[in-house]
Amino acid sequence: MSAVKKLRKNHFLQVGNVSRLLIIFLLLWSSDALAHCDRENGPVAMAAKEALKTGNMDKILIWVGEEQEQELREKYQQSLEVYKNGGNSAELAQRYFMETAVRLHRAAEGMPFDGLKPASPNPPDIEAAEKALETGDFEPVKELLCSALEKESLNWFEKTRAAAGNKEENIAAGREWVDNYVKYIVYIHKLYQTIQAGPPHGVDSH
């Protein structure tokens, strides 16, 4: 194989690596990594429990859109009748209505539902965000976001800069640089796009 053909082959291999890395990274970014409202101790499930306990479904209705309201009302009446029997019947009715409410809430968001998750603590970002709403103090949220942003951005920046010094030595070193370069650029780009775009979904949003 001639030197020119080898160069072309190596070039296409590197371009292919860049393309694959971009696709993988973008898929990871676009996945719904966190479904805050699909847990047993999430706000939707808790509102569903409260609706059965009090006999008032107003607090759970706000978590769905108009398209899901009729089904939620029907399932609420069915669940409430069973819930009033107490004991195991009440537990089963509560579980069923919690799952139904979360499923319809996810539909209102335009997101898939893959079951009600067990209760678990909030991750630090959601904990800080919710506490800020309670206290009216946004400063802890700002500090958390700025710290995480600086740490991760700087990490990929330094890795890319370090790999750049050796990228001309051989193909392996060049590919290591490409890997870090793509991750760094896509990370910064997607962060900026996310900031500009705002929240990706909401209840009954269009």
Side-chain angles (χ1 to χ4, degrees):
M1 183 182 295
S2 69
V4 172
K5 288 183 177 180
K6 286 183 179 179
L7 285 173
R8 287 177 177 173
K9 182 179 179 181
N10 290 336
H11 169 74
F12 287 124
L13 284 172
Q14 291 204 5
V15 170
N17 286 333
V18 172
S19 300
R20 285 191 290 272
L21 287 166
L22 279 168
I23 292 170
I24 292 170
F25 205 72
L26 288 171
L27 285 173
L28 289 173
W29 266 84
S30 63
S31 65
D32 188 36
L34 176 64
H36 169 221
C37 297
D38 67 353
R39 294 173 290 135
E40 290 180 4
N41 61 332
V44 180
M46 297 302 290
K49 290 173 65 175
E50 185 68 13
L52 290 174
K53 182 179 179 180
T54 62
N56 185 339
M57 69 177 304
D58 287 353
K59 288 187 177 180
I60 188 60
L61 277 174
I62 66 175
W63 289 96
V64 302
E66 293 181 359
E67 294 181 4
Q68 296 79 32
E69 181 175 341
Q70 184 59 37
E71 182 180 353
L72 185 65
R73 287 185 180 277
E74 293 173 358
K75 295 298 193 294
Y76 173 73
Q77 292 302 325
Q78 295 169 3
S79 301
L80 186 60
E81 290 179 14
V82 178
Y83 182 81
K84 290 177 179 178
N85 293 327
N88 291 335
S89 295
E91 291 183 11
L92 289 171
Q94 178 177 276
R95 176 75 184 188
Y96 171 75
F97 187 59
M98 287 165 62
E99 290 179 343
T100 299
V102 172
R103 172 176 62 81
L104 293 176
H105 169 72
R106 298 287 286 167
E109 293 181 307
M111 303 300 291
F113 173 68
D114 57 358
L116 185 64
K117 305 299 189 301
S120 60
N122 281 331
D125 54 333
I126 291 179
E127 187 67 28
E130 292 197 337
K131 188 173 182 180
L133 291 174
E134 296 172 6
T135 64
D137 182 10
F138 188 72
E139 194 64 26
V141 176
K142 185 178 73 173
E143 291 178 0
L144 177 70
L145 294 176
C146 290
S147 175
L149 175 60
E150 181 179 2
K151 179 181 177 181
E152 291 303 314
S153 299
L154 185 60
N155 174 53
W156 290 113
F157 169 75
E158 290 178 340
K159 282 186 175 181
T160 306
R161 289 280 295 173
N166 303 319
K167 68 177 182 177
E168 306 294 342
E169 291 184 0
N170 51 54
I171 295 297
R175 287 173 179 165
E176 181 182 356
W177 173 79
V178 167
D179 179 56
N180 285 288
Y181 168 79
V182 171
K183 289 175 180 176
Y184 168 66
I185 294 298
V186 174
Y187 185 76
I188 298 299
H189 179 57
K190 294 302 293 184
L191 274 175
Y192 183 76
Q193 285 189 323
T194 301
I195 291 169
Q196 296 295 311
H201 62 265
V203 174
D204 205 27
S205 61
H206 301 286

